[in-house]
Amino acid sequence: LSYQHCGRTPSSMVRSVASPLRTDACRILQQVLSQGGPTCATTLRRWAKEGRSYRGETFSLQEVEAAITAFEALRAEKPKQAPEADVEPPIQPTTAEKEQSEGSLGLRVTLKSKSWPSSHALEAAKEVVKSLGRCGEDLKVDTGVLRSLFESHTRGACWPDVFLVCGRVRVGAHKAVLASFSDVLQIKFHGAFSDASDKILKVTQSLDVIRAVVEFLYTGHCDVDIASLGELVVLADFWQSDILLEAASQSWYKLPIVHQFEVLSSLDEESLVPRAMVGALVDSLGQSFGHASQRFPHDHCWKLLRELHEWLARMPETAVARLRHWLSMEEDELPKTLERFFIQGIKAASLPSQEEELRQLLRKRNLK
């Protein structure tokens, strides 16, 4: 009011008070809160006050407060909507329980990237080694130097200067190396902001995912449980790490059909996995089934149909419901391709010796 009386209104005041909230900014803020949880609220307020950008956007404090309010309201509603009373908390109470739950599906996939390491990563490795007093200015940097900073038995970095904290477990890393792979962490550790000196980086992902990510950054490859691929993609997207996103997406497409289904069944409509990657996975499945129905012998389609049935029989109803959602999207080619595949499989099973097995199979609820 005092500014208005003087006839002068600062542009910053006009942006934060008079202008409506930007849809794109609100969407990005909601995504950050969903990926990082309520603890991100303080971080977002600091970003707004410092003018720190994320995904090319700078947020006003008004936009941040509006996003936090909406997020808290959504969290308050979720317990009422949840039909199951035994939902597990996001962080396991003990490390032993956390590690026991990892690898429950048994299948692990390998992430690799032809783009690893970048020149920024090699320079980061040289910076770390120099800071440890273990080389001179004429050190020749190669992949061996970067790999030497990783301890395989602990799945963490040697002589770390920052720790990724997952529940009660800490995974060591180096700020320079993390920053070389992530635009977000580059700004955090090397920007002129108040949290640049932090030695703790809290994460909400599982311990298996965090260890896999750190191993990938230092060695160029890692193994991760198939059920955790979506979780890893969320972290890579949040950190804006293109090389990690590329490696994760490529690993999806190389999976056998049944395991592509397994990944798809772990994602719901509100999944934080980027929509484009979910669409690419659906397209990949469509191509796989199209190839099977056109080129495979009928008996091969029948065998694959039985394999799908055996997998579906082990899946909980919630996973089957998520899979049903993705397979029923009319705008995709996958439903039509699946129909052709099922016809081929049923034709192959139409022999008198297999009719009874076919009838038994088609009575199963999940396969229907």
Side-chain angles (χ1 to χ4, degrees), residues 200-215:
I200 296 295
L201 181 60
K202 293 184 178 180
V203 289
T204 58
Q205 281 71 24
S206 66
L207 180 60
D208 185 42
V209 167
I210 298 306
R211 283 176 169 166
V213 167
V214 172
E215 182 176 2

Side-chain angles (χ1 to χ4, degrees), residues 12-13 15-17 19-22 25-26 29 44-45 47-49 51-52 57-67:
S12 59
M13 183 176 291
R15 283 197 302 271
S16 62
V17 177
S19 61
L21 300 179
R22 296 168 297 157
C26 292
L29 289 168
L44 289 175
R45 290 188 180 104
W47 286 5
K49 293 176 181 177
R52 187 186 307 197
E57 294 282 351
T58 303
F59 313 103
S60 69
L61 194 56
Q62 183 190 14
E63 289 170 333
V64 169
E65 294 297 344

